[in-house]
Amino acid sequence: MQRNLRTFCYAAIFSLFLTATAGAQSQKTPIQITVDLSDVPRKLFHAEVDLPVTAGPVTLITPKWIPGDHRPTGPVDSITGVVFTANGQTLPWRRDDVDLYEFHVTIPPGVTTLHAHLDCIVLTNISQKLAYLEWDKVMLYPANTPVRDTPIQPSVIVPAGWGIGTALSPIGGGAYPVPAAGSTTRFAVTNVEQLEDSPILAGQYFHEFPLAPEISPKHFIDVVSDAPEDSNLRPEALAEIANLVREADALYRSHHYNQYHFLLDLSDTAGGLGLEHGQSSENGLGEKEFSDEDHQLANADLLAHEFTHSWNGKYRRPVGLYQTDFATAQQGALLWVYEGMTQYLGNVLAARSGLKSQAQYRDILASAAANLDYKPGREWRSTEDTAVAASILRDGNPAWANWKREQDYYDEGELVWLDADTLIRKMTGNKKSLDDFQRIFLGKGGNTGPLIVTYTFDELVRDLNEVAPYDWATFLHDRVDKINPRADLAGIEQGGYKLVYADKPSASELIVSANADPNAKIGVDVWYSIGLRLSSDGDIKDVRWKGPADKARIVPGAKIIAVNGQMFSGDLLRDAIRDAKGKSEPISLIVQTDNFVSTANIDYHDSERYPVLERIDGSPAYLDDITKPLVPQTAQPKPTADNH
Ligand SMILES: [Zn+2]
């Protein structure tokens, strides 16, 4: 393993340097919190919290702005059964009239420990067989105190036979990671900031696998599932995930954790999650999504994305996205770095480690680029504004989302950082790349424990200039802050490819649509032809603003009943689009909108169109260099045959 040998003076380099290590605790008495997960099958967590107090009024608070969620998702509305006691007496409490996350209690003379009982109703990331314990769901701690300065000692009780995966360090010598029936697993004292960042994944069908054991610090994947066979990952998948650890090690050349745990649940009930932490990540997928390579493709970058966040997002964090408590609003202006660069690196690392092939990487990049290029909302809204407004864009309704724009800072960021990577390669004759920037920007200080070091836009520009001198401030401002009616396709073209439209979907698109989670998938995607995305039943998710279907006055949320006089099917609609080529008759649809039925005639005659990348002959193929492994692979190579 290569290490960063540069020496640093932190005070001279960082405008703000924040320790968050679990070891560096103050002399304060820790809060004790014990969470009982025995009622997971009934969707309830129970918590007992002992807080050190002194006589007089105290204000306790639960988290509001959860790091990584980019919006105020604290579960105060799900907290129930709150009872405060001291010396055997129940104490009255009152919620704050303005900040509903605060509880006011008056502590009687002589009392030094306040006991709180609370329950949390948990309806997401939970099933009959497994749950993520995100500690923010049950935390209670003093308000108006930096969370990194509040020590806390956590414990957990799980149902008999359930395994535990977590980056927390167990104490007390109990069996771990599968504790004895009814026993309590206690963990070392940490602080409220770190505990929030250290979830537990617990489940009945549990497997922990060590990854790339030659690399230090140590890496594990902890897998739980609803069905017993799914958590025992197949060797090919484990080899690819181990490659991911090796590739990240070779790319970043530094680590900012004492050990790292990929937490993975495979469940159709609880799946659908990706949340980063410094020393672990929560990854939720459908129960068959690691069962074979085809099922794997739709979310092949998930583990790589969340792992990358340990460096980009957790260790290095935009100054506006770090607050010393979970009560103050986080500011998202630099999310195109926090998320956008992670989107880029996650996809690159997934390709380098074999979680997807180079051809699949290009197909999926083509889809992302085309989606952004055909997003009319970019005519009024900058990418930066999608980041600033992140907290009101998450969980958006798909209706007219292309006109509103969505959380575009992810994929726009991917294109911007690809543009920067290929530009550096072009300017330096492929001797330098964005990999060199990552080693500077994400590796400052070499190896550290869990730590948060904030940055500003100016530091990004300085570090890019250290790799290759250029007017990077203008480069970034032009692409991110300005209104750009077209997507940034320069990176793809500098990478030796161009975005074109074929009359058939790419091989990867066909695999994803055949194998993706049925809840998530678009059944019929005719976005680049008539401008519609539909479910396989004909329910219209979105209509492309000013596209052919929009001109026929079709509305998102409506349902297509019939196509050219026959009952709707996806194949029939695609056939109709193909048949209309070169003819003058419109494609005639019968559409139900609310309780009304009408006819819509779509005047479109240019056949089907699906995005793919096409090689530009004779130009340097930097895109292929970018996705090549940095270390020799042990996994079976995937087919790399081009598919168009
Ligand atoms: Zn992310």
Side-chain angles (χ1 to χ4, degrees), residues 68 70 274-276 305-306 309 312 338-339 342-343 394 410:
H70 312 318
L275 186 59
E276 63 273 23
H305 179 107
E306 304 305 342
H309 272 316
N312 184 37
Y338 181 121
E339 290 295 358
T342 301
Q343 188 75 2
R394 283 177 101 80
Y410 281 84

Side-chain angles (χ1 to χ4, degrees), residues 156-158 174-175 178-185:
V156 69
I157 300 165
V158 298
V178 180
S183 68
T184 302
T185 304

Side-chain angles (χ1 to χ4, degrees), residues 162-293:
W162 283 33
I164 291 175
T166 181
L168 291 169
S169 308
I171 53 171
Y176 180 80
V178 180
S183 68
T184 302
T185 304
R186 301 176 70 233
F187 300 97
V189 173
T190 179
N191 58 53
V192 166
E193 183 171 81
Q194 276 297 301
L195 185 60
E196 192 286 328
D197 201 42
S198 305
I200 286 176
L201 175 60
Q204 182 172 344
Y205 305 120
F206 175 88
H207 283 276
E208 178 170 88
F209 303 94
L211 299 165
E214 74 279 13
I215 289 176
S216 185
K218 298 300 169 204
H219 299 76
F220 303 89
I221 184 162
D222 300 300
V223 194
V224 300
S225 57
D226 281 342
E229 66 275 14
D230 294 326
S231 54
N232 194 8
L233 289 188
R234 65 199 160 82
E236 297 82 3
L238 283 171
E240 289 163 359
I241 298 164
N243 281 342
L244 169 60
V245 170
R246 296 185 182 104
E247 287 296 332
D249 184 62
L251 170 57
Y252 302 127
R253 300 185 186 174
S254 67
H255 303 271
H256 310 289
Y257 42 81
N258 298 322
Q259 55 173 256
Y260 191 88
H261 286 254
F262 294 91
L263 309 177
L264 172 65
D265 78 276
L266 299 169
S267 163
D268 289 351
T269 307
L273 168 70
L275 186 59
E276 63 273 23
H277 302 285
Q279 306 200 90
S280 63
S281 51
E282 297 170 58
N283 304 278
L285 292 171
E287 63 181 36
K288 297 301 173 200
E289 279 202 74
F290 263 106
S291 62
D292 59 52
E293 305 242 313

Side-chain angles (χ1 to χ4, degrees), residues 374 500-505 509 525-529 544 577 604 606-611:
Y374 275 74
V500 298
Y501 293 84
D503 58 6
K504 289 188 179 61
E509 228 177 291
D525 191 341
V526 285
W527 194 247
Y528 306 103
S529 52
R544 178 156 57 81
I577 294 168
Y604 176 80
D606 200 20
S607 195
E608 294 191 89
R609 295 176 82 240
Y610 300 97

Side-chain angles (χ1 to χ4, degrees), residues 47-336:
E48 308 296 337
V49 189
D50 287 301
L51 299 122
V53 288
T54 53
V58 300
T59 301
L60 304 168
I61 193 166
T62 60
K64 180 177 184 181
W65 284 82
I66 308 299
D69 279 357
H70 312 318
R71 62 190 173 121
T73 51
V76 71
D77 56 333
S78 300
I79 290 176
T80 185
V82 182
V83 179
F84 292 100
T85 52
N87 291 344
Q89 305 290 312
T90 300
L91 301 182
W93 58 271
R94 193 176 198 289
R95 190 185 300 272
D96 190 83
D97 288 293
V98 176
D99 186 340
L100 305 181
Y101 294 73
E102 287 186 351
F103 294 80
H104 300 296
V105 185
T106 301
I107 308 299
V111 167
T112 56
T113 302
L114 174 67
H115 182 79
H117 170 89
L118 58 144
D119 302 324
C120 188
I121 303 162
V122 182
L123 301 179
T124 54
N125 313 324
I126 191 167
S127 78
Q128 295 295 296
K129 302 294 183 186
L130 61 92
Y132 283 98
L133 166 54
E134 293 164 331
W135 295 90
D136 44 65
K137 292 198 160 46
V138 282
M139 269 182 177
L140 201 58
Y141 49 91
N144 308 311
T145 306
V147 285
R148 68 173 182 271
D149 295 341
T150 305
I152 188 164
Q153 189 268 306
S155 303
V156 69
I157 300 165
V158 298
W162 283 33
I164 291 175
T166 181
L168 291 169
S169 308
I171 53 171
Y176 180 80
V178 180
S183 68
T184 302
T185 304
R186 301 176 70 233
F187 300 97
V189 173
T190 179
N191 58 53
V192 166
E193 183 171 81
Q194 276 297 301
L195 185 60
E196 192 286 328
D197 201 42
S198 305
I200 286 176
L201 175 60
Q204 182 172 344
Y205 305 120
F206 175 88
H207 283 276
E208 178 170 88
F209 303 94
L211 299 165
E214 74 279 13
I215 289 176
S216 185
K218 298 300 169 204
H219 299 76
F220 303 89
I221 184 162
D222 300 300
V223 194
V224 300
S225 57
D226 281 342
E229 66 275 14
D230 294 326
S231 54
N232 194 8
L233 289 188
R234 65 199 160 82
E236 297 82 3
L238 283 171
E240 289 163 359
I241 298 164
N243 281 342
L244 169 60
V245 170
R246 296 185 182 104
E247 287 296 332
D249 184 62
L251 170 57
Y252 302 127
R253 300 185 186 174
S254 67
H255 303 271
H256 310 289
Y257 42 81
N258 298 322
Q259 55 173 256
Y260 191 88
H261 286 254
F262 294 91
L263 309 177
L264 172 65
D265 78 276
L266 299 169
S267 163
D268 289 351
T269 307
L273 168 70
L275 186 59
E276 63 273 23
H277 302 285
Q279 306 200 90
S280 63
S281 51
E282 297 170 58
N283 304 278
L285 292 171
E287 63 181 36
K288 297 301 173 200
E289 279 202 74
F290 263 106
S291 62
D292 59 52
E293 305 242 313
D294 286 355
H295 281 88
Q296 199 174 297
L297 182 58
N299 288 296
D301 67 320
L302 175 65
L303 295 175
H305 179 107
E306 304 305 342
F307 189 32
T308 289
H309 272 316
S310 176
W311 290 263
N312 184 37
K314 289 295 170 179
Y315 176 53
R316 301 311 316 272
R317 195 171 310 175
V319 67
L321 279 165
Y322 181 76
Q323 303 296 348
T324 58
D325 58 29
F326 302 132
T328 309
Q330 295 167 12
Q331 297 160 36
L334 287 175
L335 275 169
W336 55 273

